[in-house]
Amino acid sequence: MKQTKVIALSGVSGAGKTSVIKRLAEEFNSPTLLFDDFVEPDTYPLDMKAWLHQGANVSQIKSPRFTKALSELKVHSDSQMIFIEEPFGRERAEIAHLIDYVIMLDMPMEVCLSRVIQRHLTHSNDSSTTLSNYLRKYDDHLRDVYIRVSNKVRENSDLAVTELEDVVGLASMLSKWLKQ
C-alpha cells in the first residue's frame, strides 16, 4: 500500500501558493485543499495586532474543518500526493502531524503586496474600500504579522523558494524537486 504524502505550500498572501498548487495538482493528478476555503469567522484571532504583540502563536489560528478534510483525504486518497495551501507550514499544532513536506514560497514582500493589490482590483466589487482597508491594516500591523510568521515557517520548511519565477517556472522547479 502506498503512502500518500501531503505537500504544504506556505508563504504570505500573494506569494503564489494557490496558483502553484493548481499547476502541481494537475501535473501529478493529485487532490488539493486550500486553506482559504475553510476560513470561518473565528479562524483568526479577532485582534491580529494584539495577537502579534502577544507573540503571534499560530496555533491560535483554528481550522478544524480543514484539518478534518485533510485527515479524511489522506486516509482515502489513492494519489501519491495531496497538495495543500497551508500558509503556516508545520507551525499550527492541529495540522502539523498531517504534513510530510513544507515548501515555502519566500517571495519579497513588495511582490506579494503588488499581487494582493492586483487581486483586490480584479476580484472585488468595491475594490477601493476593501483595498484601502487592507492597506491600512498592512501598514499598521499585517506586514509585521507576515514577517513574523514567515520567519517561523522558514525555520521548519523542507524547501524555501526565493527565486522570482512565474507560476509555470515555479511549478516546474517544484515538480523536479518532488521527483527527486
Side-chain angles (χ1 to χ4, degrees):
M1 182 169 113
K2 74 177 164 183
Q3 171 107 9
T4 300
K5 299 291 183 192
V6 174
I7 315 301
L9 269 72
S10 300
V12 304
S13 186
K17 301 177 297 293
T18 303
S19 299
V20 172
I21 283 171
K22 289 177 181 178
R23 294 289 296 217
L24 289 171
E26 184 177 302
E27 177 180 343
F28 288 96
N29 193 28
S30 298
T32 64
L33 289 174
L34 304 176
F35 179 85
D36 289 347
D37 292 343
F38 295 88
V39 170
E40 297 184 32
D42 61 348
T43 296
Y44 291 98
L46 289 176
D47 185 342
M48 290 297 287
K49 187 174 181 177
W51 174 81
L52 172 67
H53 293 301
Q54 293 165 358
N57 178 358
V58 294
S59 285
Q60 293 175 336
I61 297 169
K62 303 293 184 188
S63 62
R65 288 187 315 111
F66 183 60
T67 303
K68 182 179 180 195
L70 179 56
S71 295
E72 291 173 359
L73 185 58
K74 192 169 182 176
V75 167
H76 299 294
S77 178
D78 59 357
S79 296
Q80 182 182 2
M81 292 179 235
I82 299 168
F83 292 97
I84 67 168
E85 172 199 34
E86 171 54 45
F88 312 101
R90 291 186 185 93
E91 301 308 306
R92 294 187 319 122
E94 81 176 65
I95 201 163
H97 66 284
L98 297 171
I99 297 172
D100 295 291
Y101 298 103
V102 173
I103 299 170
M104 181 177 185
L105 300 182
D106 199 3
M107 300 294 112
M109 293 297 288
E110 68 274 9
V111 170
C112 296
L113 179 59
S114 171
R115 292 174 178 170
V116 170
I117 290 169
Q118 290 176 57
R119 188 168 55 216
H120 270 87
L121 294 174
T122 303
H123 298 294
S124 178
N125 292 335
D126 187 9
S127 62
S128 63
T129 302
T130 58
L131 181 56
S132 178
N133 288 339
Y134 177 81
L135 291 173
R136 192 172 14 269
K137 289 178 186 175
Y138 184 89
D139 287 341
D140 185 60
H141 63 278
L142 277 183
R143 182 178 186 279
D144 294 332
V145 166
Y146 290 150
I147 291 169
R148 174 89 56 94
V149 172
S150 291
N151 288 339
K152 289 180 182 182
V153 171
R154 188 180 302 109
E155 291 174 9
N156 204 13
S157 293
D158 298 290
L159 176 67
V161 178
T162 58
E163 292 85 3
L164 277 177
E165 292 275 346
D166 62 11
V167 171
V168 174
L170 277 173
S172 175
M173 178 189 319
L174 296 180
S175 174
K176 289 175 187 167
W177 184 81
L178 289 166
K179 290 175 181 176
Q180 291 180 358

